[in-house]
Amino acid sequence: IFKLNQAIETLPDQCKIVFMLVKEEGLKYKEVARILDISPRTVETHLVRAMKKLSDVLTPYLESQKKHPGKLRTSIKAFKMFLSFLHF
């Protein structure tokens, strides 16, 4: 989970804000669009970019954890949490 939080912090500001509002706060695209004064399509674009960057950052980390069986269980739990963010 720490690595996921670190990865979120590396996102560009607008992507990070959209990600947090949609994935952590549970707001709908239209709600986020209204708050940020952008279109719902732009919200979706920022979210897709955020998810791609998070995947790019976290996949190598998770692959490296396969070499350390004791840490793997924790990594799998974090990865499952990450995958739950992908459903939008």
Side-chain angles (χ1 to χ4, degrees):
I1 295 175
F2 176 72
K3 191 68 172 174
L4 176 61
N5 289 334
Q6 280 184 317
I8 291 169
E9 288 301 315
T10 69
L11 294 172
D13 289 340
Q14 193 76 343
C15 290
K16 184 182 350 179
I17 292 167
V18 168
F19 178 85
M20 292 172 73
L21 289 173
V22 173
K23 296 302 182 182
E24 293 182 6
E25 299 299 323
L27 298 180
K28 305 282 185 201
Y29 288 13
K30 286 182 182 180
E31 295 171 308
V32 175
R34 187 171 25 86
I35 290 167
L36 298 178
D37 196 27
I38 58 178
S39 73
R41 178 70 176 119
T42 302
V43 170
E44 181 180 11
T45 298
H46 284 301
L47 188 58
V48 167
R49 287 180 182 159
M51 299 307 294
K52 170 78 171 100
K53 178 150 174 97
L54 290 173
S55 179
D56 290 348
V57 169
L58 292 172
T59 298
Y61 168 74
L62 293 171
E63 289 295 321
S64 73
Q65 295 303 298
K66 289 181 182 178
K67 298 174 186 171
H68 306 284
K71 295 181 180 180
L72 185 57
R73 219 172 292 137
T74 302
S75 297
I76 289 171
K77 185 184 283 187
F79 189 64
K80 285 181 180 178
M81 186 178 106
F82 171 67
L83 289 178
S84 72
F85 284 131
L86 292 176
H87 295 91
F88 55 94

